Amino acid sequence: LTLVVDSVGGLRPYFNGDGTAAAADTLLGRVTLNGYALGRLDSLFLRGGIAGENLNIRGVRARRLDGTFAIADALRSPSGQINADLVDSVRVGGLVFDTLRTAITLVDTTEARFAVNGRALAGDSLTMSALGTWRLLAGATAVRMDSFALAFADSRWTLERPATLFTDSTTLRID
């Protein structure tokens, strides 16, 4: 099974909660999914690889994406693992990484755990790491950041204690 999205911008409506199109330059690039499906529709297992090039997804830019996925019960209650490496001049905000590694564990349709690690060996030896959980709760989204560290040159910033960002259609709150 192969799916090629030549302009990731074609997926734009799926990234806005209200179904409207995002600004024209927030979603660009090419993504290819190669994999297979195994089992029955009531217990479908998906496994495969993800490749991308020249990506711009809401301000995160990368020349290349390499990854894998393994998702059990894909149509009813998905759970599993998605791993993705963004490589070659990855830009997040004003920071430029050589590599940004992401591991996402899908617990179910309402919860996922994530780990993100970035590094840039040139210049000031930029590093970043983050661990947390994403949850969908009765129409609201909660992102709990359990740990976060950012370092370059002689500077290092860390999250003093876990923090949670809540958002719904009317509210944005940080605890």
Side-chain angles (χ1 to χ4, degrees):
L1 175 65
T2 299
L3 170 68
V4 177
V5 181
D6 194 11
S7 172
V8 180
L11 297 175
R12 188 174 294 113
Y14 300 107
F15 284 86
N16 281 338
D18 61 4
T20 61
D25 65 348
T26 62
L27 205 51
L28 300 170
R30 179 182 173 96
V31 175
T32 303
L33 298 171
N34 285 307
Y36 64 88
L38 180 67
R40 302 182 319 232
L41 290 178
D42 67 348
S43 59
L44 194 63
F45 179 77
L46 302 175
R47 179 183 298 271
I50 308 163
E53 57 189 34
N54 301 317
L55 300 174
N56 180 14
I57 302 172
R58 293 205 172 189
V60 176
R61 296 177 184 212
R63 289 192 184 145
R64 201 174 87 230
L65 163 73
D66 296 311
T68 61
F69 60 90
I71 301 172
D73 203 0
L75 299 178
R76 294 184 318 144
S77 182
S79 63
Q81 190 74 27
I82 301 169
N83 296 300
D85 293 345
L86 296 166
V87 293
D88 197 3
S89 299
V90 181
R91 293 183 178 274
V92 180
L95 303 174
V96 180
F97 297 93
D98 296 330
T99 303
L100 195 63
R101 236 174 216 152
T102 304
I104 300 170
T105 301
L106 301 173
V107 177
D108 56 32
T109 58
T110 64
E111 182 177 348
R113 291 186 296 272
F114 61 87
V116 180
N117 292 288
R119 68 177 180 156
L121 300 176
D124 290 328
S125 298
L126 174 66
T127 62
M128 188 271 299
S129 66
L131 293 171
T133 305
W134 168 90
R135 286 191 176 97
L136 187 59
L137 310 162
T141 301
V143 178
R144 176 182 166 94
M145 190 69 68
D146 293 316
S147 68
F148 179 83
L150 177 67
F152 61 92
D154 294 329
S155 300
R156 181 169 173 81
W157 293 274
T158 60
L159 190 61
E160 184 176 293
R161 62 179 184 266
T164 303
L165 173 102
F166 291 94
T167 184
D168 63 20
S169 61
T170 62
T171 307
L172 174 65
R173 184 178 84 228
I174 300 175
D175 290 334

